[in-house]
Amino acid sequence: MLKKRPDGEVQPGFNWGPFTMRIPLIHLRFSLSDMLQGLAVAGATGMALVPYFMALLGLNFEEAVTMAMFHSLLISFSWMFFGDPYAPGWLTPAIPFVVAFITAPAYLGDHTSQFQAMTALSLNFAFILIVLGVTGLGAKLIKVVPNVFKGGIILGAAVAAFLRVTKDGDAANVFQSAPIAGTLGVVVCLVFAFSKPLQSLATDKRWLATVLGFGLLPGFVIAGTVGYFTGEFEYNIRWEILDVGASTASLWAKASPFAIGWPPIETFLSSFPLALITYILFFGDVVTGNEMIEQAQVIRTDEKLELNGSRAHMATGIRNILMGIIAPFFATQGVLWTGIQVVLLKRWTQGRDKIDSIFDSIGSFYAFGLPFLFIFLPLVTLLQPLLPVALAVTLVLTAFACATLALSLVHDATERGAMVITAMAFSIFEPWLGLLVGIITIVALCGLGVFKPKKDS
């Protein structure tokens, strides 16, 4: 029986420790439109690293898909078991650093050492998150960061996303790989998500409101159909069911530290700096997610969304531990999928008659935590050509949402300028150097006063 939420309260669930567990069809409702776009967008994006798994780590196709399935499984269960109101995803900006790390001479070609390095990275990162979460230092850090610095981090994510989607040779540059279908898909998704004239028109036209209710799905259907006729997408459907048992056993034998041995202490030490750098990215995602939710919360006062920095730290840490011992590939267990978060929040702000709880949308988008898609190879291979579209759409939506959010955080001209310089530093330099440049810029231009904690209102 579905639990009814009184106005102004938190969505019901089972509390365990600092977390809240919400069970499908008991604490949340099913949303068909969110599930369908989740199958297309999350499915295609979830397989983005399959080529990396095969080329870099020596996995076959079935093992690579199984690894992607476990990553998606951990991501999909995050909202269910831990209770954060975020649409979780990868720490995508860290992935190039991770690939460079495991392709260094010390690891290149030695798949056992590469998997051990991934485990070490995951456990180091989890250690940082859990220590900061348990002590409450992570939550305090998030609260004391001034808006100008928050804006710099968020705007930096926007610039980095725009740069990546237009970079020559990047897998996300669908404008280069599929100029007709890809561009059409991205434009349709962007307009459907943010166009004010279209949203206004939908209030009088029920059929348009229904179409818009499917979120990003129409854009993917249009891109996939047009791409087939233009020859930009080629579909090679495999009519098989993934043998999960066999592929899991072989993946475990190749990747798990319980099978190949635990990383040596030298690997833990050499990977720790990268784990610290990744924490900066995690911190930026938490800040971005919180600002998005707080702005949406002003519109939807009937459901209170609890933001708990310590809980977010611990939940992400636990997922990284599990990933590090089951299917180690670092940076696939982050706290926020920005592009999807903005799409789900956009629909949530339309009112309780459209979607009762944000968890209805998140749960349905992630297919209630069960990655059916990866088991059915016909669906996997159907979505495979749409991978560049999925990457481009999420990056463009992320960039647009982050830019609008960052620009709303500061109203002083000097702070706005400092924010832009900080953003450029984060988007161009490595995370630690971007952090340093941002702090120096803000202190020099805005003074130390901006870093003083604000009193709770």
Side-chain angles (χ1 to χ4, degrees), residues 53 67-75 323 327-329 332-333:
F53 301 156
M67 177 174 270
M69 181 184 72
F70 280 122
H71 295 163
S72 294
L73 187 66
L74 290 171
I75 286 174
M323 183 268 292
F329 195 91
T332 58
Q333 298 301 313

Side-chain angles (χ1 to χ4, degrees), residues 241-287:
I241 301 295
L242 181 68
D243 189 342
V244 178
S247 58
T248 299
S250 59
L251 175 63
W252 179 273
K254 290 182 179 181
S256 174
F258 288 106
I260 64 175
W262 293 87
I265 188 66
E266 294 83 5
T267 304
F268 278 104
L269 293 175
S270 64
S271 62
F272 195 77
L274 181 52
L276 279 174
I277 289 172
T278 306
Y279 178 75
I280 299 172
L281 303 173
F282 167 86
F283 179 86
D285 280 349
V286 174
V287 168

Side-chain angles (χ1 to χ4, degrees), residues 43-357:
T45 308
M47 294 185 295
L49 293 177
V50 166
Y52 281 83
F53 301 156
M54 297 171 68
L56 298 180
L57 301 175
L59 300 181
N60 61 37
F61 178 75
E62 288 76 13
E63 292 165 346
V65 172
T66 301
M67 177 174 270
M69 181 184 72
F70 280 122
H71 295 163
S72 294
L73 187 66
L74 290 171
I75 286 174
S76 299
F77 274 123
S78 179
W79 60 269
M80 184 188 298
F81 284 101
F82 301 118
D84 283 318
Y86 308 118
W90 300 340
L91 288 154
T92 309
I95 290 177
F97 297 118
V98 173
V99 172
F101 184 75
I102 65 168
T103 53
Y107 303 109
L108 186 61
D110 184 351
H111 299 317
T112 296
S113 295
Q114 287 176 322
F115 278 119
Q116 288 178 336
M118 290 294 188
T119 296
L121 276 166
S122 303
L123 297 183
N124 278 335
F125 186 53
F127 172 78
I128 295 169
L129 291 174
I130 291 174
V131 168
L132 292 176
V134 170
T135 60
L137 292 175
K140 291 178 181 177
L141 187 62
I142 292 169
K143 287 182 179 179
V144 302
V145 172
N147 280 351
V148 60
F149 192 64
K150 288 180 181 179
I153 294 173
I154 297 169
L155 187 60
V159 175
F162 273 128
L163 289 175
R164 186 180 168 198
V165 84
T166 56
K167 183 180 178 181
D168 286 344
D170 195 292
N173 190 350
V174 75
F175 310 113
Q176 188 178 61
S177 60
I180 300 174
T183 302
L184 190 60
V186 171
V187 169
V188 170
C189 288
L190 183 63
V191 170
F192 275 30
F194 294 109
S195 172
K196 287 184 176 180
L198 203 61
Q199 297 289 343
S200 177
L201 191 62
T203 58
D204 299 322
K205 298 188 181 298
R206 190 171 181 178
W207 66 269
L208 182 57
T210 302
V211 173
L212 292 180
F214 283 98
L216 306 180
L217 183 62
F220 278 79
V221 172
I222 291 171
T225 304
V226 171
Y228 174 77
F229 288 107
T230 61
E232 293 171 313
F233 298 148
E234 183 179 345
Y235 297 94
N236 298 307
I237 310 300
R238 288 180 55 176
W239 299 98
E240 306 169 47
I241 301 295
L242 181 68
D243 189 342
V244 178
S247 58
T248 299
S250 59
L251 175 63
W252 179 273
K254 290 182 179 181
S256 174
F258 288 106
I260 64 175
W262 293 87
I265 188 66
E266 294 83 5
T267 304
F268 278 104
L269 293 175
S270 64
S271 62
F272 195 77
L274 181 52
L276 279 174
I277 289 172
T278 306
Y279 178 75
I280 299 172
L281 303 173
F282 167 86
F283 179 86
D285 280 349
V286 174
V287 168
T288 303
N290 287 355
E291 292 296 330
M292 284 181 172
I293 289 170
E294 287 173 0
Q295 288 197 1
Q297 185 76 83
V298 176
I299 302 172
R300 277 290 299 266
T301 57
D302 64 281
E303 180 181 11
K304 181 181 178 182
L305 302 184
E306 285 186 316
L307 299 175
N308 186 319
S310 295
R311 180 181 62 195
H313 278 71
M314 289 185 284
T316 310
I318 291 170
R319 284 194 283 122
N320 272 274
I321 291 174
L322 294 173
M323 183 268 292
I325 62 178
I326 297 173
F329 195 91
F330 184 58
T332 58
Q333 298 301 313
V335 70
L336 182 72
W337 187 350
T338 310
I340 298 307
Q341 182 78 14
V342 70
V343 169
L344 299 184
L345 282 175
K346 187 84 172 178
R347 183 159 180 251
W348 181 68
T349 56
Q350 293 176 0
R352 194 167 186 174
D353 58 325
K354 298 292 184 182
I355 194 78
D356 183 73
S357 168

Side-chain angles (χ1 to χ4, degrees), residues 12-69:
F14 295 121
N15 295 323
W16 61 287
F19 307 117
T20 301
M21 181 178 181
R22 294 182 175 91
I23 300 174
L25 306 182
I26 294 179
H27 301 112
L28 55 126
R29 293 161 177 78
F30 173 69
S31 169
L32 178 62
S33 61
D34 288 317
M35 190 201 76
L36 290 176
Q37 67 171 322
L39 285 175
V41 184
T45 308
M47 294 185 295
L49 293 177
V50 166
Y52 281 83
F53 301 156
M54 297 171 68
L56 298 180
L57 301 175
L59 300 181
N60 61 37
F61 178 75
E62 288 76 13
E63 292 165 346
V65 172
T66 301
M67 177 174 270
M69 181 184 72

